[in-house]
Amino acid sequence: MALPAFASDPEPPREPSFDVLGDFDEPWTAQLALDLLPETNGPKVEVLSGSVIVTPHAGYDHQTIELDLAYLLKQAARRAKLWLYHEVNIVSGDDLFIPDIAVLRTSGSGQVSMRISEAVLLGEIVSKSNRRKDVIDRPRQYAAAGVPWFLRVDLRNRVPALALHELSDGEYRPVAAAAAGTLFLMKEPFEFSIDPAELLDEAATE
């Protein structure tokens, strides 16, 4: 008498874990990273050309500028019916970017990621250890994806400077720039102005 065949219990779904980075031997995609890696408030986890890139948080000056600038820009963006976020998942094909600042056409409420086609402006704050990425690589990648505006914040020698670039013929062209002690003024994609010196925390002097 033949014994009945029993199907083995299905394996429980794998919990997202960074352990998978050591097991996975295929090219990574944005969707794989979003599905298999855990959400984190720690290091940035991006995907570029099939590889996962993990970046620790930058220094305190970078974090201060990111938070303060995002807060001020968000108010100006909302007046123009745009939505601003900082350090959120932006998907471009198989790549996953986490820009320091993202201004979107639609609200990201309830979403884990947004397509790069929703981005009106992406911004990067230049880190000393990632200068090439923030000054050359990211602008080139964002331009190739058709993001209309790129904002760069530089902090060379602890002197904050802002530069806004507009996409033209597939490349970014500078349209507004200012360093600490002068006025940065932009008209598009929404109106905003600031003296970059206001972005850097300094201890009070007696």
Side-chain angles (χ1 to χ4, degrees), residues 11 15 26-27 34 49 56 62 74 79 86 94 113 126 171:
E11 291 186 9
E15 288 292 322
E26 298 178 23
L34 292 170
S49 301
H62 181 290
K74 182 168 187 169
R79 289 193 290 269
H86 70 96
D94 285 337
S113 65
V126 179
E171 297 182 356

Side-chain angles (χ1 to χ4, degrees), residues 29 124 159:
T29 66
E124 298 289 353
V159 178

Side-chain angles (χ1 to χ4, degrees), residues 37-143:
L37 300 180
E39 294 182 10
T40 174
N41 290 322
K44 286 186 179 182
V45 180
E46 301 176 292
V47 176
L48 181 63
S49 301
S51 297
V52 173
I53 302 169
V54 181
T55 309
H57 277 302
Y60 280 77
D61 286 343
H62 181 290
Q63 297 299 94
T64 294
I65 289 175
E66 182 177 324
L67 290 173
D68 288 355
L69 183 59
Y71 172 76
L72 296 169
L73 280 170
K74 182 168 187 169
Q75 297 175 73
R78 288 301 296 123
R79 289 193 290 269
K81 297 182 171 53
L82 298 170
W83 282 261
L84 183 142
Y85 303 91
H86 70 96
E87 294 195 8
V88 289
N89 298 316
I90 301 293
V91 175
S92 178
D94 285 337
D95 293 337
L96 174 64
F97 299 121
I98 304 182
D100 291 322
I101 292 171
V103 178
L104 308 178
R105 294 181 176 88
T106 56
S107 170
S109 178
Q111 304 299 314
V112 173
S113 65
M114 295 289 281
R115 307 299 301 181
I116 201 166
S117 58
E118 292 296 329
V120 175
L121 177 152
L122 296 179
E124 298 289 353
I125 301 167
V126 179
S127 297
K128 186 177 180 180
S129 60
N130 289 318
R131 188 166 191 84
R132 177 184 170 84
K133 183 200 80 171
D134 297 330
V135 174
I136 298 175
D137 297 339
R138 282 296 185 263
R140 185 179 296 160
Q141 291 149 359
Y142 297 158

Side-chain angles (χ1 to χ4, degrees), residues 154-182:
D154 210 332
L155 193 60
R156 195 187 294 249
N157 299 322
R158 300 194 76 243
V159 178
L162 278 70
L164 178 69
H165 299 75
E166 182 179 11
L167 188 64
S168 176
D169 297 326
E171 297 182 356
Y172 285 123
R173 311 290 185 188
V175 293
T182 60

